[in-house]
Amino acid sequence: MKAPVKILSIAVWLSAFSSTAFATTGYFMHGYGVKAQGNAGTSIAQFQDALTIANNPAGLSWIGDRIDVGATVFSPDRSAEITANQMPQAYPNANGRYDGNGRKYFVLPELAFNHQINDQVALGLAIYGNGGMNTGYKNNPFAAFGNSGTAGVDLTQVFITPAVAWKYAENQSIGIATNILYQRFEARGIAGFSGFSADASNLSNRGKDSATGIGARIGWAGKFFDQRLTLGANYSSKINADRFDRYRGLFAERGDFDVPESYGVGAAVNITPQLTVAADIQRINYSDVKSVGNPFDLAQLQQGHAFGTSQGPGFGWNDINIYKLGVSYQAHPKLTLRAGYSHNDQPIPDSEVFLNILAPGVIQDHLSVGATWNLDQHQEISIAYTHALEDEVKGKISPAFGGGEAKLKMSQDILGLSYGYKF
């Protein structure tokens, strides 16, 4: 047991200081674990490794003793464009195309471990990125509105999640996990909006700030019809995190930035002994977090609801549903092939494009492929590639900011690699 403990200690350190996870279903990851990524994130009723803790902890009852270590490389392409804006020329004109790729590559490690205590109880631990968002504009898109320097945001969310699964019946299990949150945030290049903030000194360019929180995840899974059909369900509670004190003049409720609740159901069918088809439906309630869900409403600002107040501006994100379909095929005793497609609702309405230049999480569709090669009876290597198809949202800018239109655009390439060891 000494080796797993050492690896877990290293993973805690790596996750806490890892690069931003640039997620694609809003700012959540599209899939947790490299195998799940190969199926476009389909995982609520398909249990392939110890990262099932992040998807449905009940799945620990069926994966045996194992440890999984991996890393995912994200390469997002994000940009914004402003047209037909009529701002006075005291500052450079707002119109133009703005490249948000201040940084092009991001690496996120992941690690999970499961131990079968007896026939009924399994204990596990996972460390992984829940999500994040990053933009870096060398040419500040808000320069015409009194801002200077580079602009952008950097959000990282990491979960450390211990879990237990109880197989209370021959083919049914329930799992409970604790989501221990560490998150970090930075905003740059928007100090010119200080007149709209309740705490102008803590609005922008305050460096990195961190916060922690704790929540719960519960999952259920059952196998039916001679285990040819697996059903699953999961629920993750909202996490009431500590405030970002350095940004209490930006986020609603004096710097509050919680993790929204999410839940879903899934099914996996063994069509043949070699072929499995799985599907998930997931819901993320972004609007329950005021700093994310509150609209950027000038009328509210004029009524005294400034940045940082309870009813102050947020990013105006909608709740979203996510639909995932994955296929796994055992092509050879040592080789498993995977593919998947997912689609999610658009979190950013066209009325909220202006502030979301900082956070253009507009992607809706993912195409994934992946594979696992068994080196021997204990060791395996998995790989997954996902292309998040380019999407865009266009909307009007308020006349108070010169009118015209803003267009947000993003696509992404994601490559994951992992190593699994079965004890």
Side-chain angles (χ1 to χ4, degrees), residues 112-301:
F113 174 73
N114 185 56
H115 177 56
Q116 197 74 39
I117 301 297
N118 53 43
D119 291 340
Q120 289 185 302
V121 179
L123 296 177
L125 175 67
I127 305 164
Y128 56 96
N130 180 62
M133 184 66 69
N134 176 282
T135 48
Y137 294 95
K138 293 181 180 179
N139 184 16
N140 193 329
F142 301 115
F145 312 102
N147 293 282
S148 61
T150 61
V153 297
D154 189 13
L155 170 69
T156 303
Q157 290 183 338
V158 175
F159 278 179
I160 300 173
T161 306
V164 58
W166 174 41
K167 199 173 183 181
Y168 61 89
E170 183 178 358
N171 291 313
Q172 296 188 56
S173 176
I174 188 169
I176 299 174
T178 301
N179 290 326
I180 302 169
L181 166 70
Y182 170 83
Q183 61 179 355
R184 190 171 57 191
F185 178 79
E186 180 181 13
R188 305 174 305 280
I190 55 172
F193 296 129
S194 59
F196 299 111
S197 175
D199 188 348
S201 63
N202 289 291
L203 171 69
S204 180
N205 296 84
R206 295 283 286 120
K208 294 185 183 297
D209 198 3
S210 62
T212 58
I214 191 167
R217 175 178 296 123
I218 186 169
W220 169 86
K223 292 183 176 288
F224 307 94
F225 303 107
D226 294 326
Q227 300 197 21
R228 287 176 293 179
L229 170 66
T230 303
L231 301 177
N234 68 4
Y235 173 80
S236 293
S237 69
K238 179 179 179 180
I239 298 179
N240 292 310
D242 299 332
R243 289 180 169 86
F244 288 121
D245 287 332
R246 295 183 185 180
Y247 293 96
R248 57 181 179 266
L250 172 61
F251 290 133
E253 299 182 300
R254 295 180 293 116
D256 198 38
F257 197 95
D258 299 330
V259 177
E261 69 173 357
S262 62
Y263 46 87
V265 295
V269 181
N270 295 327
I271 305 297
T272 71
Q274 293 78 32
L275 179 64
T276 300
V277 177
D280 290 352
I281 300 176
Q282 185 182 7
R283 174 82 168 180
I284 303 175
N285 289 329
Y286 284 119
S287 67
D288 284 347
V289 178
K290 290 187 176 182
S291 53
V292 178
N294 281 3
F296 182 60
D297 190 337
L298 283 174
Q300 289 280 74
L301 283 172

Side-chain angles (χ1 to χ4, degrees), residues 53-131:
I53 292 171
N55 305 304
N56 183 353
L60 294 177
S61 295
W62 285 282
I63 65 168
D65 292 348
R66 63 178 295 137
I67 188 167
D68 295 279
V69 184
T72 300
V73 180
F74 300 82
S75 179
D77 184 8
R78 56 268 196 224
S79 64
E81 185 176 8
I82 298 175
T83 57
N85 190 272
Q86 302 298 320
M87 281 296 294
Q89 298 304 306
Y91 298 93
N93 192 278
N95 296 321
R97 187 181 185 279
Y98 299 91
D99 187 331
N101 300 317
R103 182 172 179 178
K104 293 185 178 180
Y105 299 99
F106 304 85
V107 180
L108 187 72
E110 63 187 24
L111 184 142
F113 174 73
N114 185 56
H115 177 56
Q116 197 74 39
I117 301 297
N118 53 43
D119 291 340
Q120 289 185 302
V121 179
L123 296 177
L125 175 67
I127 305 164
Y128 56 96
N130 180 62

Side-chain angles (χ1 to χ4, degrees), residues 22 24 75-79 101 360 362-363 387-391 409-413:
F22 202 102
T24 53
S75 179
D77 184 8
R78 56 268 196 224
S79 64
N101 300 317
V362 298
I363 287 175
H387 179 62
L389 278 64
E390 183 177 273
D391 209 335
K409 185 184 294 186
M410 188 169 81
S411 64
Q412 187 167 173
D413 293 298

